[in-house]
């Protein structure tokens, strides 16, 4: 399958997975994810997080330290292709309709980045939404030594190799309600 075909199939699988969960089951699973992440979050100086869209798993638990949490904030470039992490509450509407910190909030380089995804393989290859936003942001942060942990539902960890392109940035690990797997 090509990346677009895999992306479409995995999006549908993720939606179907969520439709099979009751609200209490989803809450329990997201709490389990937060428990898996707790040691990583506690040891990080600055955490790059995200607000979930659609069927993405929610990385923000009740114990999340908002004082050290940064969110993607797109620049004012006309195409909205570049984002940096800003330390601040996501209250401004960004170019993609997703809340983000304001332009006056400080730009930071998180040492731990929680990365949304559609699928991940055992090499840490991530299949994202297809816009390349995270690959561009992670490439900059990789040079600074940041760690990248993909987040998702258990069914998003696949047992075959995803197509890998030169611009793809590998994840250091994958966390789901089922556990934390480190790739490097």
């Amino acid at each position: 399958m090509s990346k677009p075909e895999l992306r479409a199939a995995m999006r549908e699988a993720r939606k179907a997975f969520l439709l099979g969960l009751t609200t209490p089951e989803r809450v329990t699973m997201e709490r389990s994810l937060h428990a898996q992440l707790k040691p990583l979050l506690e040891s990080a100086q600055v955490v790059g997080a995200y607000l979930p869209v659609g069927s993405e798993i929610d990385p923000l638990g009740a114990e999340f330290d908002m004082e050290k949490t940064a969110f993607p904030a797109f620049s004012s470039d006309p195409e909205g292709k570049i984002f940096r992490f800003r330390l601040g509450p996501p209250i401004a509407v960004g170019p993609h309709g997703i809340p983000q910190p304001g332009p006056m909030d400080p730009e930071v380089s998180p040492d731990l980045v929680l990365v949304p995804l559609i699928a991940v393989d055992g090499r840490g290859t991530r299949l994202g939404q297809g816009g390349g936003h995270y690959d561009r942001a992670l490439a900059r942060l990789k040079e600074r030594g940041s760690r990248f942990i993909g987040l998702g539902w258990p069914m998003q960890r696949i047992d075959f190799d995803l197509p890998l392109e030169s611009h793809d940035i590998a994840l250091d690990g994958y966390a789901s309600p089922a556990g934390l797997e480190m790739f490097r």
Side-chain angles (χ1 to χ4, degrees):
M1 288 181 134
S2 67
K3 271 189 165 182
E5 292 168 331
L6 281 168
R7 202 172 274 119
M10 289 303 295
R11 276 189 188 118
E12 288 305 313
R14 184 174 67 184
K15 286 178 192 174
F17 176 80
L18 281 185
L19 286 173
L21 295 179
T22 64
T23 299
E25 288 170 331
R26 181 175 181 159
V27 168
T28 297
M29 290 184 84
E30 287 179 336
R31 284 186 181 146
S32 180
L33 172 69
H34 305 149
Q36 303 296 334
L37 292 173
K38 189 174 181 174
L40 293 173
L41 296 173
E42 288 176 347
S43 66
Q45 297 298 308
V46 177
V47 177
Y50 64 91
L51 293 178
V53 175
S55 57
E56 291 176 343
I57 196 163
D58 187 353
L60 302 175
E63 299 176 28
F64 224 79
D65 183 354
M66 293 304 288
E67 297 290 317
K68 67 177 191 177
T69 304
F71 293 91
F74 285 88
S75 65
S76 59
D77 74 283
E79 297 178 18
K81 289 188 175 185
I82 300 169
F83 80 74
R84 306 235 190 270
F85 282 95
R86 292 190 178 276
L87 199 57
I91 55 174
V93 178
H96 301 283
I98 300 169
Q100 65 182 33
M104 301 308 290
D105 289 320
E107 185 180 315
V108 294
S109 294
D111 53 306
L112 175 66
V113 181
L114 305 178
V115 185
L117 50 77
I118 294 174
V120 64
D121 67 19
R123 302 173 300 169
T125 304
R126 170 187 165 269
L127 183 64
Q129 295 291 350
H133 300 295
Y134 268 88
D135 286 319
R136 284 187 291 277
L138 298 183
R140 287 189 319 273
L141 293 171
K142 184 177 183 176
E143 295 172 5
R144 296 181 175 120
S146 299
R147 291 188 311 168
F148 311 129
I149 305 296
L151 302 184
W153 304 101
M155 49 71 57
Q156 291 177 259
R157 170 56 169 90
I158 57 174
D159 61 359
F160 57 89
D161 289 348
L162 288 166
L164 182 61
E165 297 178 32
S166 61
H167 64 270
D168 291 332
I169 303 297
L171 299 173
D172 296 298
Y174 176 65
S176 78
L180 173 64
E181 176 182 9
M182 297 305 292
F183 303 120
R184 35 195 106 343

